[in-house]
Amino acid sequence: MYKILEKTQFSEKVFKFRIEAPAIAKHAHAGQFLMVRANETGERVPFTLAGWNGDEGWVEFIFMVIGKTTEMLSTYEAGESLRDVVGPLGVPTEMAEGPCAVIGGGVGLAIAFPVAKHLVETGHEVHAIMGARTKDLLLMEDQFRELLDEDHIHITTDDGSYGEQGVVTAPLERLLQDKAVSQVFCVGPVPMMKFSTLTAQKYDTPITASLNPIMVDGTGMCGCCRVEVGGVTKFACVDGPDFDATLVDWDDLRARQAAYRSEEGESLKAYEEKSCACH
Amino acid sequence: MPLVNGRFVADMKSPRTPDNEEPAAERACDFRPVDKGFTEEMALAEAERCLNCKKPFCVEGCPVNINIPRFIEQIREKDFGGALDTIREDSMLPAICGRVCPQENQCEGKCIRGKKSEPVAIGQLERFLGDRPELASTPKMAPKNGKKVAVVGSGPSGITCAGELARNGFDVTVFEAFFTGGGVLVYGIPEFRLPKAVVKREIDGLEDMGVKFEYNSVVGNMATAEELFEQGFDAIYVATGAGLPKFLNVPGENLPNVFFANEYLTRVNLMKANKFPEYDTPTKHGKNVVVFGGGNVAMDAVRTAKRLGAEHAIIAYRRTEDEMPCRRAELHHAKAEGVEVLPLVSPLEFVAGEDGSVCAVKVQKMELGEPDESGRRRPVPIEGAIEEIPCDVAISAIGTNANPFAKKIGGKMELNKWGYIVADEETGQTTDPRIWAGGDIVTGAATVILAMGAGKKAAASITKSLLGE
Ligand SMILES: Cc1cc2nc3c(=O)[nH]c(=O)nc-3n(C[C@H](O)[C@H](O)[C@H](O)COP(=O)(O)OP(=O)(O)OC[C@H]3O[C@@H](n4cnc5c(N)ncnc54)[C@H](O)[C@@H]3O)c2cc1C
Ligand SMILES: Cc1cc2nc3c(=O)[nH]c(=O)nc-3n(C[C@H](O)[C@H](O)[C@H](O)COP(=O)(O)OP(=O)(O)OC[C@H]3O[C@@H](n4cnc5c(N)ncnc54)[C@H](O)[C@@H]3O)c2cc1C
Ligand code: SF4
Ligand code: SF4
Ligand code: FES
């Protein structure tokens, strides 16, 4: 059992858990992830390591409620325990030299934040490009603002309800034109990653994407997380999750991510009906 | 009991006692065990068939040389506890091996009675005993010797090694990546062939002996060999099993609903996707399921598909039924359950339907040509003979590569060019004298009994090395 030491709510749907896990904390690196199973009947789901302290023996992850498992997780309180937490898994993010742009969209912002934080802590200049459909869906703004100054935060919303209207590629293009960054890191919905990649390529700037296919074991045994990179099939859990974004087959990733849409809906519905019945 | 001049004489006329099977049509609808195992009566009758050979070929056929005539004799004498003790001298997992060993190529394949009629049902007899563990005498435990050993992986190889070492007085900790123990026995082999309760009983038995289990522990990432030594372990046994599935390397292999068998089986066996949404992990209930392969893994996948409601559950194999490497019993059971066998085909391409998921697979028809190095006739494509089979789930079960963590565990362990660990065949010792290895991570995907045997040999070698005996 893995005790929740602290629960922090960032917004209606975004939470952070600090979990007691000394062995994981000692070996954690930015870009690696955990596999979490909340209870005996739970699914194994991956979350990026958002913070850790080897001396105090804890790790943190940030998650957004989007389906059954994340909704259920959000009901857990400090003092309660998660059944299983495995990690650290995956290859640590390679930290480049020079100034970086970190792009996050949607839930991707939760995953991008630890990378941005780590880059800042290791002495890099970091620009955060934060995208959301609309103002209410913009995550982690306070955390990014704490980390970076005004000049280094670029917010876009599709509907213009906050920040600049449009998508993340606009500020990215400006930064690239100004030669303000020499390396780009992106994580978020597939279209966002795809267009960020095309933009970075236009300026011959290396870009890394953190991919999030569906996973089962997270240890390279099952093959569920396979992604096509440079015409070769890779396993995101052991070869990634970071890959050279210019080589990723985005259509393949998107199709595999969506493979369980109807089951996911069914699962959430069953859960919500059950939760209502016992109130 | 037929005694002549006070000596036992085998019953030469009685046919082999048939398996105590559940009706095929019923069992194909749920995950109940396929057969109930011998009753005492059946076991006694079957034991009568053994000739108690002076030169027992069956023993030669068993990879760990169990004293088969002796334990069968003890069954005949109704000394079931004694019979179990005899088996336990060589095998720690009779309830498991009795169920999953490829007996027809091993003990039963060599049994003399197979020449004229049918071999003695050695596997069923072994299982009969293994399922009555309470009858065995409590194993003697050596006094604690103060030395600590880490075992990486809780598959059959790891748990056997752990059990032997605990008995020899070592303080043993098993590190396991998953949240439960048993390796392939729990995530790969389905409930209907090997009930999870049987595996759990073995793990519980080890815990009773003082073996500690650290679940959710991926050695290599969470701790390396060096760190384990720093923590005070005196030796390490690495039994991480095989890993990464092998690709078919045909277009469309990454389409949604094209699975590797490991994923398909893990979702159901470990994560209980057959009970979705009570359990959160979903799976796909295909109506037309095609499985590529001819081994035990392919059989398990196709029979699981049947139980998840497939109308057509097809096993597609490059050669013919005769060449299939699976246990004969599995093929027989699968066919009885309605699994269709499509021999002499090789996949060419998975085709996407309107929704983007697989809707068909194109296959190349083959014929058998000249024998290859393995002595089996090589399948060769028949030019132009291409067929399209409709399917909404396709599964590939053509084998695995080395576990990627082997190289991360570290130490001075050498790997061969395919990524498997190099270990001495007799002792299991690796090129790092503090580390031993065995099971699938050394041999490549093999069998439970070989993995178990390797664990036993390594335990003996570790004991000798650490205690200097
Ligand atoms: C390496 C990696 C790191 C991740 N890090 C974070 C993170 O830091 N914070 C965060 O909020 N989310 C993260 N995710 C995504 C997170 O795992 C999913 O949001 C979560 O699994 C959703 O589960 P659910 O039951 O709530 O939603 P569901 O309704 O089951 O699924 C919603 C969507 O989530 C994805 N998903 C579902 N099950 C899985 C699974 N077993 N594995 C991976 N993806 C799945 C699918 O694309 C699905 O369409 C990460 C994913 C990966 C692969
Ligand atoms: C579906 C299927 C059906 C089969 N049917 C049969 C059959 O009928 N008869 C037969 O004889 N054989 C069968 N086999 C083969 C047999 O199961 C294997 O040969 C045997 O399980 C190998 O045992 P092992 O102990 O080497 O490894 P495994 O059983 O693979 O166990 C390895 C364990 O190590 C864990 N692990 C891996 N990496 C790490 C790490 N870094 N840190 C900690 N833990 C780790 C894994 O999670 C796993 O639990 C079958 C295999 C499969 C997949
Ligand atoms: S361990 Fe396997 S091969 Fe040996 S006697 Fe038992 S069933 Fe036969
Ligand atoms: S070979 Fe057959 S008959 Fe002879 S001892 Fe072995 S099991 Fe009995
Ligand atoms: S999640 Fe199973 S191989 Fe990556």
Side-chain angles (χ1 to χ4, degrees), chain A residues 103 129 167-177 184 191-207 246:
Chain A
I103 311 175
I129 305 179
V167 288
V168 293
T169 45
L172 175 63
E173 182 131 21
R174 284 199 302 272
L175 288 171
L176 291 166
Q177 262 165 2
V184 185
M192 188 216 88
M193 292 197 281
K194 186 171 164 179
F195 288 105
S196 300
T197 304
L198 291 174
T199 308
Q201 265 178 308
K202 223 165 87 186
Y203 293 88
D204 271 338
T205 307
I207 175 164
T246 62

Coordinates of all heavy atoms in Angstrom, one line a residue, chain A residues 103 129 167-177 184 191-207 246:
Chain A
I103 N 6.1 23.0 -24.4 CA 4.7 23.3 -24.8 C 3.8 22.2 -24.2 O 4.1 21.0 -24.2 CB 4.6 23.1 -26.4 CG1 5.6 23.9 -27.1 CG2 3.2 23.5 -26.8 CD1 5.6 23.7 -28.6
I129 N 4.8 27.4 -23.2 CA 3.7 27.7 -24.1 C 2.5 26.9 -23.6 O 2.6 25.6 -23.7 CB 4.0 27.5 -25.6 CG1 5.3 28.2 -25.9 CG2 2.9 27.9 -26.5 CD1 5.8 28.0 -27.4
V167 N -3.7 28.9 -31.5 CA -3.1 27.7 -31.0 C -1.6 27.9 -30.7 O -1.1 29.0 -31.1 CB -3.3 26.6 -32.0 CG1 -4.7 26.1 -32.1 CG2 -2.8 27.0 -33.4
V168 N -1.0 26.9 -30.0 CA 0.3 27.1 -29.5 C 1.4 27.4 -30.5 O 2.5 27.9 -30.2 CB 0.7 25.8 -28.7 CG1 -0.1 25.7 -27.4 CG2 0.6 24.6 -29.5
T169 N 1.1 27.0 -31.8 CA 2.1 27.2 -32.8 C 2.5 28.7 -33.1 O 3.6 29.0 -33.5 CB 1.7 26.5 -34.1 OG1 0.4 26.9 -34.4 CG2 1.9 25.0 -34.0
A170 N 1.5 29.6 -32.8 CA 1.8 31.0 -33.0 C 2.9 31.5 -32.1 O 3.9 32.0 -32.7 CB 0.5 31.8 -32.9
P171 N 2.8 31.4 -30.8 CA 3.9 31.8 -30.0 C 5.2 31.0 -30.3 O 6.3 31.6 -30.2 CB 3.5 31.6 -28.5 CG 2.2 30.9 -28.6 CD 1.6 31.0 -30.0
L172 N 5.0 29.8 -30.6 CA 6.2 28.9 -30.9 C 7.0 29.5 -32.1 O 8.2 29.7 -32.0 CB 5.8 27.5 -31.1 CG 7.0 26.6 -31.6 CD1 8.0 26.4 -30.5 CD2 6.5 25.2 -32.0
E173 N 6.2 29.8 -33.1 CA 6.8 30.4 -34.3 C 7.6 31.7 -34.0 O 8.7 31.9 -34.5 CB 5.7 30.6 -35.4 CG 6.3 31.1 -36.7 CD 5.7 30.3 -37.9 OE1 4.7 29.6 -37.7 OE2 6.4 30.3 -38.9
R174 N 7.0 32.5 -33.2 CA 7.7 33.8 -32.8 C 9.0 33.5 -32.1 O 10.0 34.1 -32.4 CB 6.8 34.6 -31.9 CG 5.6 35.3 -32.7 CD 5.0 36.5 -31.9 NE 4.5 36.1 -30.6 CZ 3.3 35.6 -30.3 NH1 2.4 35.6 -31.3 NH2 2.9 35.3 -29.1
L175 N 8.9 32.6 -31.2 CA 10.2 32.3 -30.4 C 11.2 31.7 -31.3 O 12.4 32.0 -31.2 CB 9.9 31.2 -29.3 CG 9.1 31.7 -28.1 CD1 8.7 30.5 -27.2 CD2 9.9 32.7 -27.3
L176 N 10.8 30.9 -32.3 CA 11.8 30.3 -33.2 C 12.4 31.4 -34.1 O 13.5 31.4 -34.4 CB 11.1 29.2 -34.0 CG 10.8 27.9 -33.2 CD1 9.8 27.0 -34.0 CD2 12.0 27.2 -32.7
Q177 N 11.5 32.3 -34.6 CA 11.9 33.4 -35.5 C 13.0 34.2 -34.8 O 14.0 34.6 -35.3 CB 10.7 34.2 -35.8 CG 10.2 33.9 -37.2 CD 8.8 34.5 -37.4 OE1 8.3 35.2 -36.6 NE2 8.2 34.2 -38.5
V184 N 12.9 22.2 -28.4 CA 11.5 22.3 -28.0 C 11.0 20.9 -27.4 O 11.5 19.9 -27.9 CB 10.6 22.6 -29.3 CG1 9.1 22.8 -28.9 CG2 11.1 23.8 -30.0
P191 N -3.0 16.4 -32.3 CA -2.9 17.5 -33.3 C -1.9 18.6 -32.9 O -1.2 19.1 -33.7 CB -4.3 18.0 -33.4 CG -5.2 17.0 -32.9 CD -4.4 16.2 -31.9
M192 N -2.0 18.9 -31.6 CA -1.1 20.0 -31.1 C 0.4 19.6 -31.2 O 1.2 20.4 -31.7 CB -1.4 20.2 -29.6 CG -0.7 21.4 -29.0 SD -0.3 21.1 -27.3 CE 1.3 20.3 -27.6
M193 N 0.7 18.3 -30.9 CA 2.1 17.9 -31.0 C 2.5 17.9 -32.5 O 3.6 18.2 -32.8 CB 2.2 16.5 -30.4 CG 2.1 16.6 -28.9 SD 2.7 15.1 -28.0 CE 1.4 13.9 -28.3
K194 N 1.5 17.4 -33.3 CA 1.9 17.3 -34.7 C 2.2 18.7 -35.3 O 3.2 18.8 -36.0 CB 0.6 16.7 -35.4 CG 0.8 16.4 -36.9 CD -0.4 15.6 -37.3 CE -0.5 15.5 -38.8 NZ -1.7 14.7 -39.3
F195 N 1.4 19.7 -35.0 CA 1.6 21.0 -35.7 C 2.8 21.7 -35.0 O 3.5 22.4 -35.7 CB 0.3 21.8 -35.7 CG -0.7 21.3 -36.7 CD1 -1.8 20.5 -36.3 CD2 -0.4 21.4 -38.0 CE1 -2.6 20.0 -37.3 CE2 -1.2 20.9 -39.0 CZ -2.4 20.2 -38.6
S196 N 3.0 21.5 -33.7 CA 4.2 22.0 -33.1 C 5.4 21.5 -33.8 O 6.4 22.2 -34.0 CB 4.3 21.7 -31.6 OG 3.1 22.2 -30.9
T197 N 5.4 20.2 -34.1 CA 6.5 19.5 -34.7 C 6.8 20.1 -36.1 O 7.9 20.5 -36.5 CB 6.3 18.0 -34.9 OG1 6.0 17.5 -33.6 CG2 7.4 17.3 -35.5
L198 N 5.7 20.3 -36.9 CA 5.9 20.9 -38.2 C 6.5 22.3 -38.1 O 7.4 22.7 -38.9 CB 4.5 21.0 -38.9 CG 4.0 19.6 -39.3 CD1 2.6 19.8 -39.9 CD2 4.9 18.9 -40.3
T199 N 6.1 23.1 -37.1 CA 6.6 24.4 -36.9 C 8.1 24.4 -36.6 O 8.9 25.1 -37.1 CB 5.8 25.1 -35.8 OG1 4.4 25.0 -36.1 CG2 6.2 26.6 -35.7
A200 N 8.4 23.5 -35.6 CA 9.8 23.4 -35.2 C 10.7 23.0 -36.4 O 11.8 23.5 -36.5 CB 10.0 22.4 -34.0
Q201 N 10.2 22.0 -37.2 CA 10.9 21.5 -38.3 C 11.3 22.6 -39.3 O 12.3 22.7 -39.9 CB 10.1 20.4 -39.0 CG 10.5 19.1 -38.5 CD 9.7 18.0 -39.2 OE1 8.5 18.1 -39.2 NE2 10.4 17.0 -39.8
K202 N 10.3 23.6 -39.4 CA 10.5 24.7 -40.4 C 11.7 25.5 -40.0 O 12.4 26.1 -40.8 CB 9.2 25.6 -40.3 CG 8.8 26.1 -41.6 CD 7.3 26.6 -41.5 CE 7.3 28.1 -41.1 NZ 5.9 28.6 -40.9
Y203 N 12.0 25.5 -38.7 CA 13.2 26.3 -38.2 C 14.4 25.4 -37.9 O 15.3 25.8 -37.2 CB 12.8 27.1 -37.1 CG 11.8 28.2 -37.5 CD1 10.4 27.9 -37.5 CD2 12.2 29.5 -37.9 CE1 9.5 28.9 -37.9 CE2 11.3 30.4 -38.3 CZ 10.0 30.1 -38.3 OH 9.1 31.1 -38.7
D204 N 14.3 24.1 -38.3 CA 15.4 23.2 -38.0 C 15.7 23.1 -36.6 O 16.9 22.9 -36.2 CB 16.6 23.6 -38.8 CG 16.6 23.0 -40.2 OD1 15.9 21.9 -40.4 OD2 17.3 23.5 -41.1
T205 N 14.7 23.2 -35.7 CA 15.0 23.1 -34.3 C 14.5 21.8 -33.8 O 13.4 21.3 -34.1 CB 14.2 24.3 -33.6 OG1 14.5 25.5 -34.2 CG2 14.6 24.3 -32.1
P206 N 15.4 21.1 -33.0 CA 15.0 19.8 -32.5 C 13.8 19.8 -31.6 O 13.7 20.8 -30.8 CB 16.3 19.3 -31.8 CG 17.2 20.4 -31.7 CD 16.8 21.5 -32.7
I207 N 12.9 18.9 -31.7 CA 11.7 18.8 -30.9 C 11.5 17.4 -30.4 O 11.6 16.5 -31.1 CB 10.5 19.4 -31.7 CG1 9.2 19.2 -30.8 CG2 10.3 18.8 -33.0 CD1 8.1 20.1 -31.3
T246 N 9.8 14.5 -34.8 CA 9.8 14.6 -36.2 C 9.6 13.2 -36.9 O 9.3 13.1 -38.0 CB 11.1 15.3 -36.8 OG1 12.2 14.5 -36.5 CG2 11.3 16.7 -36.3

